[in-house]
Amino acid sequence: MKIWYFIKKDLAVFFRDRGALIWLFVLPLVFISIFAGLSSLTSGGNGEEEVQDNRVPLALVNLDAGGEQGKMLVEELGAPDAFRLLMLGREEADARLNVYTIRRYLLIPAGFSADLAAGKPAALTLITHPDSDPETDRIVMTMVNGIAQDLSLELQIIEGIKTMGEMQAANPASQAAFSADKILAQAKSQFDSSSMNPLISIAQVNPVKEEKEGLPTFDLGESILPGMSVLFVFLASMTMARSIYEERRDGSLRRLLAAPLRRSELMLGKMAPMLLLIIIQIIFIFFVGGLLLPLLGFGRLGIGNDPLALALVSLAMAVCTVSLGVFLAGIARSEGQITGIGNAVLWVAGFLGGAIVPAFILQQIAVLNVISRFIPHYWATSAYYDLLARGRGLADVLPNIGVLLLFSALFFFIGLRRFRYE
């Protein structure tokens, strides 16, 4: 009951502060909109023409430049009832696959047309990201295989008829031998041969990826909402610290020390209302942001396969945030220091922890990759990515939750030890 009085009083004070309301609830959505707009521009935009094209997207690398059969395959793949093709060079495709801005790409090898023209088998390769959706990969494989089989049959029948024509031209006296029945029989033979031994085959390759454990590889659409959530939830620790400082400045904490409460209980009472507000903030950002992103051309972000794990990660992050608020209030000697230190540290931490810039970009610099492991933002964004993008469960993010709680204990202990109630 004692803590309940803290909660009622602090919530009443908070909801009278319009600036705090804007900071916690409005500003995150503004940043989500800005980042989503910038992401759509850097990825080629989301114009009307792209929105209306509902074909399955497929990145394509054609190393058979100028090959006639290669051109035919590309035309078939880009047909109105097939794929929306994105033509890339090999290096660019590998780079995009590595950072997960594409999930897969189809490779037409060099010499593809020459092999088919000589009647030799030729192989296509579907190269997929280790974290791509297996069901989508299967659908793409089936579609490509169907198109390749049709092309293979067409080429074999054309070759068979061409051979019959050459035989007839070489021996005009045998013209009668090439009756309609003979031609149909030849076509059926070619069809059966194409079904049993197709000229064009397709294989799926999942390249071995040296991925540092726990390091996310966000694409831009999937990183915006979780990243902004982590960034602004941790920034809320400054609101927590300022609230505690104002209580100390006004003398409220000194009067509360006369109550039969230990100092740790008093601080926990101050943390409880802010913890509740941060949980509301997380729900609000995910709910409204999830509705906003589709309007900006991004897919709707689900809640993953384990809602309980998502809730526990969010709760651990909220606990870490309020503990960080206690830490800031303990080391700062003025409200200006809280704002200055908080802004300087938390924005940099958000950047290094993958909340602003996806961590797969930062991991290219070894020292930043090491530093990020000592930042709570990293563990929160990694957990969100594992749950929302990779479809993982509670067992996979338990280490992240544990590290966030360790940060919480460390922040609370240091803040409580250094905090001055006078």
Side-chain angles (χ1 to χ4, degrees):
M1 291 299 295
K2 297 173 183 177
I3 291 181
W4 172 241
Y5 292 121
F6 282 105
I7 295 175
K8 287 199 300 183
K9 178 184 72 67
D10 283 4
L11 288 180
V13 171
F14 174 81
F15 283 110
R16 287 197 298 267
D17 187 349
R18 293 183 179 179
L21 287 172
I22 292 173
W23 180 262
L24 289 183
F25 297 106
V26 178
L27 201 58
L29 298 180
V30 173
F31 269 71
I32 288 171
S33 301
I34 293 173
F35 271 70
L38 292 175
S39 299
S40 66
L41 289 176
T42 57
S43 61
N46 61 326
E48 181 180 354
E49 186 175 343
E50 182 179 349
V51 172
Q52 292 179 350
D53 192 342
N54 295 320
R55 293 176 297 172
V56 177
L58 178 65
L60 180 64
V61 175
N62 184 9
L63 301 182
D64 186 44
E68 187 63 31
Q69 283 75 17
K71 289 180 181 178
M72 292 173 61
L73 178 60
V74 171
E75 290 177 1
E76 293 294 330
L77 291 170
D81 58 347
F83 295 98
R84 183 173 74 248
L85 296 181
L86 173 63
M87 304 300 296
L88 299 173
R90 181 68 185 271
E91 291 185 1
E92 183 182 1
D94 286 335
R96 290 198 183 197
L97 189 73
N98 186 49
V99 299
Y100 208 35
T101 56
I102 59 173
R103 272 64 168 173
R104 63 196 64 81
Y105 71 85
L106 182 66
L107 175 67
I108 302 176
F112 176 79
S113 297
D115 287 341
L116 292 178
K120 299 177 181 178
L124 303 172
T125 306
L126 182 67
I127 301 173
T128 60
H129 189 280
D131 294 327
S132 65
D133 178 36
E135 181 62 22
T136 304
D137 291 340
R138 186 189 64 78
I139 293 172
V140 172
M141 282 281 289
T142 301
M143 291 178 63
V144 173
N145 189 59
I147 293 170
Q149 293 300 321
D150 289 344
L151 179 60
S152 179
L153 174 61
E154 179 181 346
L155 292 174
Q156 287 183 271
I157 289 178
I158 291 174
E159 183 62 28
I161 293 175
K162 185 186 298 183
T163 301
M164 292 176 66
E166 291 173 353
M167 291 171 61
Q168 182 177 354
N171 186 11
S174 64
Q175 181 173 357
F178 293 95
S179 62
D181 290 338
K182 291 286 187 180
I183 294 174
L184 289 175
Q186 176 67 18
K188 184 179 185 304
S189 175
Q190 294 294 147
F191 179 82
D192 293 339
S193 175
S194 176
S195 299
M196 298 297 295
N197 300 295
L199 283 177
I200 305 174
S201 62
I202 176 171
Q204 181 178 345
V205 174
N206 192 308
V208 177
K209 180 184 176 186
E210 293 183 3
E211 181 182 17
K212 297 176 175 64
E213 185 176 353
L215 188 63
T217 51
F218 289 102
D219 73 2
L220 292 176
E222 291 168 337
S223 69
I224 291 170
L225 191 54
M228 289 297 103
S229 299
V230 171
L231 176 67
F232 278 94
V233 164
F234 276 104
L235 285 172
S237 60
M238 290 192 295
T239 303
M240 170 75 184
R242 282 195 294 267
S243 173
I244 296 174
Y245 177 82
E246 289 170 0
E247 293 270 11
R248 184 177 67 186
R249 183 191 60 195
D250 297 339
S252 301
L253 288 178
R254 186 171 62 251
R255 292 191 294 271
L256 287 172
L257 287 175
L261 290 172
R262 289 191 291 269
R263 292 190 174 189
S264 58
E265 293 176 336
L266 177 61
M267 197 59 69
L268 287 172
K270 290 295 299 177
M271 292 169 64
M274 195 64 201
L275 180 66
L276 179 60
L277 283 171
I278 290 173
I279 292 172
I280 295 172
Q281 180 193 26
I282 294 171
I283 295 172
F284 177 81
I285 292 174
F286 270 89
F287 179 74
V288 179
L291 297 177
L292 182 64
L293 283 181
L295 299 178
L296 297 173
F298 293 88
R300 189 179 299 276
L301 187 66
I303 60 172
N305 299 325
D306 194 337
L308 175 61
L310 184 64
L312 291 177
V313 168
S314 300
L315 180 60
M317 181 172 63
V319 171
C320 189
T321 298
V322 295
S323 300
L324 181 58
V326 174
F327 175 79
L328 289 174
I331 64 173
R333 294 294 177 262
S334 68
E335 190 171 1
Q337 284 189 7
I338 291 174
T339 302
I341 295 173
N343 276 320
V345 172
L346 293 175
W347 283 96
V348 172
F351 174 80
L352 295 176
I356 300 175
V357 178
F360 67 78
I361 296 176
L362 300 179
Q363 78 173 21
Q364 307 302 321
I365 305 175
V367 64
L368 295 184
N369 186 30
V370 173
I371 291 173
S372 66
R373 306 305 175 98
F374 296 93
I375 298 173
H377 298 63
Y378 167 83
W379 299 95
T381 54
S382 298
Y384 275 144
Y385 172 71
D386 283 342
L387 294 174
L388 300 176
R390 288 180 171 173
R392 294 182 176 175
L394 179 59
D396 300 295
V397 298
L398 279 178
N400 301 66
I401 294 174
V403 173
L404 286 171
L405 293 179
L406 284 176
F407 273 115
S408 303
L410 180 64
F411 290 146
F412 182 77
F413 177 77
I414 295 176
L416 193 64
R417 295 278 299 196
R418 292 184 58 87
F419 187 75
R420 296 179 303 165
Y421 289 84
E422 299 297 329

